[in-house]
PDB file of all heavy atoms in Angstrom:
ATOM      1  N   THR A  36     -11.009 -10.861  21.007  1.00 37.00           N
ATOM      2  CA  THR A  36     -11.718  -9.579  20.890  1.00 37.00           C
ATOM      3  C   THR A  36     -10.959  -8.756  19.943  1.00 37.00           C
ATOM      4  O   THR A  36      -9.782  -8.404  20.172  1.00 37.00           O
ATOM      5  CB  THR A  36     -11.770  -8.899  22.285  1.00 37.00           C
ATOM      6  OG1 THR A  36     -12.245  -9.927  23.205  1.00 37.00           O
ATOM      7  CG2 THR A  36     -12.662  -7.777  22.206  1.00 37.00           C
ATOM      8  N   ASP A  41     -17.490   0.170  20.302  1.00 53.00           N
ATOM      9  CA  ASP A  41     -17.541   1.654  20.133  1.00 53.00           C
ATOM     10  C   ASP A  41     -16.341   2.273  19.600  1.00 53.00           C
ATOM     11  O   ASP A  41     -16.006   3.454  19.641  1.00 53.00           O
ATOM     12  CB  ASP A  41     -17.928   2.285  21.483  1.00 53.00           C
ATOM     13  CG  ASP A  41     -16.931   1.854  22.653  1.00 53.00           C
ATOM     14  OD1 ASP A  41     -15.972   1.141  22.290  1.00 53.00           O
ATOM     15  OD2 ASP A  41     -16.917   2.289  23.672  1.00 53.00           O
ATOM     16  N   ASP A 105      26.433  -5.018   0.382  1.00 98.00           N
ATOM     17  CA  ASP A 105      25.188  -5.046  -0.522  1.00 98.00           C
ATOM     18  C   ASP A 105      24.882  -6.260  -1.295  1.00 98.00           C
ATOM     19  O   ASP A 105      23.913  -6.347  -1.981  1.00 98.00           O
ATOM     20  CB  ASP A 105      25.353  -3.871  -1.578  1.00 98.00           C
ATOM     21  CG  ASP A 105      25.051  -2.430  -0.903  1.00 98.00           C
ATOM     22  OD1 ASP A 105      24.746  -2.471   0.267  1.00 98.00           O
ATOM     23  OD2 ASP A 105      25.308  -1.493  -1.487  1.00 98.00           O
ATOM     24  N   SER A 171     -18.827  14.926   6.268  1.00 98.00           N
ATOM     25  CA  SER A 171     -18.419  15.574   5.029  1.00 98.00           C
ATOM     26  C   SER A 171     -19.679  15.791   4.138  1.00 98.00           C
ATOM     27  O   SER A 171     -20.684  15.003   4.063  1.00 98.00           O
ATOM     28  CB  SER A 171     -17.496  14.660   4.294  1.00 98.00           C
ATOM     29  OG  SER A 171     -16.902  15.241   3.234  1.00 98.00           O
ATOM     30  N   ASP A 201     -13.957   5.623 -10.850  1.00 98.00           N
ATOM     31  CA  ASP A 201     -13.334   4.271 -11.078  1.00 98.00           C
ATOM     32  C   ASP A 201     -13.772   3.861 -12.455  1.00 98.00           C
ATOM     33  O   ASP A 201     -14.993   3.984 -12.806  1.00 98.00           O
ATOM     34  CB  ASP A 201     -13.930   3.327  -9.987  1.00 98.00           C
ATOM     35  CG  ASP A 201     -13.145   2.011  -9.919  1.00 98.00           C
ATOM     36  OD1 ASP A 201     -12.982   1.310 -10.952  1.00 98.00           O
ATOM     37  OD2 ASP A 201     -12.759   1.638  -8.794  1.00 98.00           O
ATOM     38  N   GLY A 343      -2.348  -3.920   6.901  1.00 85.00           N
ATOM     39  CA  GLY A 343      -2.553  -3.822   8.362  1.00 85.00           C
ATOM     40  C   GLY A 343      -1.790  -2.746   9.043  1.00 85.00           C
ATOM     41  O   GLY A 343      -2.394  -1.901   9.778  1.00 85.00           O
ATOM     42  N   GLY A 462       2.454  -5.873  19.824  1.00 96.00           N
ATOM     43  CA  GLY A 462       3.221  -4.818  19.115  1.00 96.00           C
ATOM     44  C   GLY A 462       2.221  -3.671  18.793  1.00 96.00           C
ATOM     45  O   GLY A 462       1.015  -3.826  19.030  1.00 96.00           O
ATOM     46  N   LEU A 513      10.066  -0.728  21.042  1.00 97.00           N
ATOM     47  CA  LEU A 513       9.291   0.521  21.027  1.00 97.00           C
ATOM     48  C   LEU A 513       9.989   1.736  21.646  1.00 97.00           C
ATOM     49  O   LEU A 513      10.047   2.748  21.228  1.00 97.00           O
ATOM     50  CB  LEU A 513       7.877   0.255  21.632  1.00 97.00           C
ATOM     51  CG  LEU A 513       6.998   1.504  21.697  1.00 97.00           C
ATOM     52  CD1 LEU A 513       6.658   2.133  20.282  1.00 97.00           C
ATOM     53  CD2 LEU A 513       5.668   1.202  22.365  1.00 97.00           C
ATOM     54  N   GLU A 514      10.580   1.329  22.890  1.00 97.00           N
ATOM     55  CA  GLU A 514      11.335   2.294  23.645  1.00 97.00           C
ATOM     56  C   GLU A 514      12.419   2.952  22.713  1.00 97.00           C
ATOM     57  O   GLU A 514      12.590   4.171  22.714  1.00 97.00           O
ATOM     58  CB  GLU A 514      11.968   1.620  24.807  1.00 97.00           C
ATOM     59  CG  GLU A 514      12.484   2.375  25.989  1.00 97.00           C
ATOM     60  CD  GLU A 514      11.386   3.416  26.465  1.00 97.00           C
ATOM     61  OE1 GLU A 514      10.212   2.955  26.652  1.00 97.00           O
ATOM     62  OE2 GLU A 514      11.709   4.584  26.646  1.00 97.00           O
ATOM     63  N   GLU A 588       0.880   9.823 -21.194  1.00 98.00           N
ATOM     64  CA  GLU A 588       0.293   8.589 -21.364  1.00 98.00           C
ATOM     65  C   GLU A 588       1.039   7.482 -20.505  1.00 98.00           C
ATOM     66  O   GLU A 588       2.101   7.667 -19.973  1.00 98.00           O
ATOM     67  CB  GLU A 588       0.453   8.084 -22.786  1.00 98.00           C
ATOM     68  CG  GLU A 588      -0.471   8.779 -23.728  1.00 98.00           C
ATOM     69  CD  GLU A 588      -0.447   8.101 -25.133  1.00 98.00           C
ATOM     70  OE1 GLU A 588       0.645   7.399 -25.423  1.00 98.00           O
ATOM     71  OE2 GLU A 588      -1.354   8.289 -25.808  1.00 98.00           O
ATOM     72  N   HIS A 609     -10.547 -12.113  -0.949  1.00 85.00           N
ATOM     73  CA  HIS A 609      -9.118 -12.388  -0.937  1.00 85.00           C
ATOM     74  C   HIS A 609      -8.270 -11.280  -0.438  1.00 85.00           C
ATOM     75  O   HIS A 609      -8.599 -10.143  -0.753  1.00 85.00           O
ATOM     76  CB  HIS A 609      -8.612 -12.986  -2.197  1.00 85.00           C
ATOM     77  CG  HIS A 609      -9.028 -14.465  -2.453  1.00 85.00           C
ATOM     78  ND1 HIS A 609      -8.801 -15.475  -1.543  1.00 85.00           N
ATOM     79  CD2 HIS A 609      -9.877 -14.928  -3.385  1.00 85.00           C
ATOM     80  CE1 HIS A 609      -9.401 -16.599  -2.018  1.00 85.00           C
ATOM     81  NE2 HIS A 609     -10.072 -16.298  -3.026  1.00 85.00           N
ATOM     82  N   HIS A 634     -16.770  -6.685 -20.665  1.00 98.00           N
ATOM     83  CA  HIS A 634     -18.001  -6.273 -21.170  1.00 98.00           C
ATOM     84  C   HIS A 634     -18.404  -7.533 -22.138  1.00 98.00           C
ATOM     85  O   HIS A 634     -17.628  -8.021 -22.907  1.00 98.00           O
ATOM     86  CB  HIS A 634     -17.982  -5.035 -22.019  1.00 98.00           C
ATOM     87  CG  HIS A 634     -19.358  -4.561 -22.342  1.00 98.00           C
ATOM     88  ND1 HIS A 634     -20.084  -4.993 -23.457  1.00 98.00           N
ATOM     89  CD2 HIS A 634     -20.180  -3.721 -21.805  1.00 98.00           C
ATOM     90  CE1 HIS A 634     -21.262  -4.432 -23.567  1.00 98.00           C
ATOM     91  NE2 HIS A 634     -21.347  -3.550 -22.515  1.00 98.00           N
TER      92      HIS A 634
END
Side-chain angles (χ1 to χ4, degrees):
T36 310
D41 57 357
D105 279 355
S171 189
D201 196 306
L513 177 62
E514 198 51 47
E588 283 190 341
H609 285 298
H634 191 279

